[in-house]
Amino acid sequence: MPNQTFGRPGTTGFATRAIRAGQDPCAATGATIPPVYQTATFTLENPAATKGFDYSRSGNPTRSALETQLASLEGGRYASAFGSGMAAVAGVASLLSSGDHIVATRDIYGGTHRLFTAVLTRYGIDTTFVDVGDDAALRAAIRPSSRLLWLETPSNPLLKLTDIQRAAGVAKEAEPRIVVAADNTFASPYFQRPLSQGADVVMHSTTKYLCGHSDVIGGVVICDDEDLAARVAYHQNAVGAVPGPWDAYLTLRGVKTLALRMQAHARNAQLVAEFLEGRGDIVDVYYPGLASHPDHDLAKRQMDGFGGVVTLRPRGGVERAHAFAGETKLFNLATSLGGVESLLCVPAKMTHGSLAPEERLELGVTDDLIRLSVGIEEPADLLADLERALDRSDARVPA
Ligand SMILES: *Cc1c(COP(=O)(O)O)cnc(C)c1O
């Protein structure tokens, strides 16, 4: 196990743990930075004695450093890193057996929806989707066989919030054996730590803010309960959807600047949201940092900042939205989020295309909706890019 000297929340601050937890100098060589252990296997002195590692699917020192770092940031003792966010969701789902039931938020990442409805159903695990903010509806959805409550807050793409403490309380009162899991990808541990709010398990697509540079696909599952952690770690080794050492290294490296990056993402996103709200040609702007956001007060209580994603609906319908999406220069038209560079996507086409049109409408994912992942470029340049693209697309669409 890597040294945990700087790993305990409460003894050191967030940025210190991001840079130090799991990252003590190498005991053998003094290497200051955890090396990329590009090895499949480890040579033993005798068949009974390892130095903690024997085969890189089961464990790799670079991956261990990342797991210690990420666990520390969420305030948990255990983490298992995966080769993608979806592999991490599957790691959480491995806690279930045939006949178990999932209750999940309606506002759920498309890939998680697909895993729950098209894959787990074949193994005898059913999911009920519910508005988890409605206590009565949540209570009604829970069965004696419910073993997992799946939360995602803020949600994608409309940035709806769930009161984690409240939903966890309602669910556990109805069924004490339920495990509460939160997909914390949109907030990052810098802005929200679900384990401290009643969740048992936190999952991330590390592809997004944690890695932060749009160059790695990865995921992680974090918990503080030893038994849950052991079961997820067992699945990690048994199924083997692990990240390679280079991906682990790049993510570890990205996370070191998470605090600085999240501050910059949130500052820029607030400016973008206010800029959009101030224009006359935007129908809706969704950002938890706006006083007009329906969950603004909850966001202030539950989060330490409002994140870097802003969603909008420009006036002029789908024609205008697509024209706008084609006009930005700094905001690349690309799926994903959380990188230092700004991205723009059309959720109905690019992230929620696998849902039926009625399902999209029910979620508010209309064809004219645009999601911005606000990067950390100079804010004035971002605002100028949006202004230009909005003006040009407006001229092309009849009023
Ligand atoms: C991207 C994402 C995932 C899936 O992660 P991958 O790394 O793409 O497999 C899950 N949840 C949320 C909220 C995401 O944004």
Side-chain angles (χ1 to χ4, degrees):
M1 280 295 286
N3 192 304
Q4 306 236 5
T5 314
F6 299 101
R8 290 185 302 279
T11 56
T12 49
F14 186 95
T16 306
R17 282 178 278 130
I19 296 167
R20 298 294 190 165
Q23 300 164 75
D24 283 353
C26 171
T29 65
T32 304
I33 299 303
V36 180
Y37 284 89
Q38 189 71 47
T39 183
T41 190
F42 297 81
T43 299
L44 315 185
E45 270 162 27
N46 68 66
T50 72
K51 292 175 175 163
F53 300 94
D54 56 13
Y55 187 62
S56 277
R57 167 161 46 72
S58 312
N60 174 282
T62 315
R63 191 175 94 207
S64 293
L66 173 67
E67 290 170 338
T68 302
Q69 177 198 47
L70 294 180
S72 163
L73 295 186
E74 284 287 2
R77 283 176 296 166
Y78 309 99
S80 291
F82 287 91
S84 71
M86 286 319 304
V89 179
V92 179
S94 79
L95 296 168
L96 304 174
S97 301
S98 180
D100 287 349
H101 174 243
I102 303 173
V103 177
T105 175
R106 237 183 238 295
D107 298 272
I108 193 168
Y109 179 74
T112 310
H113 183 273
R114 180 173 54 201
L115 183 80
F116 287 0
T117 56
V119 179
L120 296 185
T121 43
R122 293 196 287 110
Y123 297 85
I125 297 166
D126 284 324
T127 301
T128 303
F129 294 94
V130 65
D131 175 357
V132 289
D134 177 341
D135 292 356
L138 174 56
R139 218 173 276 122
I142 291 174
R143 307 175 188 167
S145 61
S146 298
R147 290 292 176 278
L148 180 65
L149 172 66
W150 187 268
L151 305 176
E152 185 179 323
T153 178
S155 72
N156 175 38
L158 286 169
L159 307 167
K160 274 181 67 175
L161 266 67
T162 300
D163 187 327
I164 299 170
Q165 191 136 33
R166 183 166 175 155
V170 169
K172 290 197 173 199
E173 198 188 305
E175 175 44 66
R177 288 168 294 182
I178 205 162
V179 169
V180 178
D183 182 337
N184 201 28
T185 300
F186 267 51
S188 91
Y190 186 67
F191 284 145
Q192 176 172 277
R193 288 158 306 280
L195 293 181
S196 70
Q197 293 160 346
D200 304 297
V201 177
V202 172
M203 168 263 150
H204 280 279
S205 167
T206 56
T207 311
K208 315 294 169 50
Y209 287 108
L210 289 172
C211 177
H213 296 74
S214 301
D215 48 8
V216 178
I217 298 283
V220 69
V221 176
I222 298 158
C223 28
D224 198 50
D225 180 273
E226 193 175 348
D227 171 59
L228 289 178
R231 286 154 67 196
V232 173
Y234 184 87
H235 167 93
Q236 180 197 37
N237 181 46
V239 172
V242 293
W246 266 107
D247 283 359
Y249 176 82
L250 286 169
T251 305
L252 175 90
R253 177 177 163 127
V255 170
K256 294 183 200 206
T257 55
L258 184 67
L260 283 174
R261 285 189 286 109
M262 291 315 295
Q263 289 165 20
H265 280 295
R267 180 199 61 207
N268 285 3
Q270 184 78 36
L271 289 169
V272 164
E274 286 170 7
F275 161 78
L276 293 170
E277 202 168 48
R279 280 184 65 107
D281 61 345
I282 310 292
V283 182
D284 296 300
V285 184
Y286 302 91
Y287 183 64
L290 291 175
S292 62
H293 190 284
D295 300 322
H296 182 59
D297 288 333
L298 172 58
K300 282 197 287 192
R301 281 203 310 278
Q302 179 163 277
M303 304 175 71
D304 297 329
F306 305 115
V309 177
V310 178
T311 302
L312 68 138
R313 207 172 268 126
R315 196 182 61 207
V318 62
E319 222 182 312
R320 169 87 187 288
H322 286 192
F324 167 61
E327 284 288 357
T328 54
K329 297 211 183 309
L330 276 176
F331 284 81
N332 298 45
L333 182 57
T335 192
S336 200
L337 61 113
V340 291
E341 74 293 332
S342 293
L343 302 179
L344 175 156
C345 87
V346 180
K349 281 254 175 285
M350 299 167 69
T351 60
H352 288 61
S354 66
L355 297 188
E358 321 76 80
E359 289 178 302
R360 283 202 297 270
L361 272 189
E362 207 181 315
L363 291 175
V365 182
T366 51
D367 290 345
D368 56 351
L369 198 69
I370 302 272
R371 185 187 80 191
L372 304 176
S373 172
V374 181
I376 63 170
E377 299 94 338
E378 277 300 327
D381 294 334
L382 294 177
L383 297 182
D385 189 39
L386 294 173
E387 179 160 48
R388 194 189 132 278
L390 283 168
D391 289 347
R392 286 180 63 108
S393 61
D394 199 27
R396 279 162 44 186
V397 174

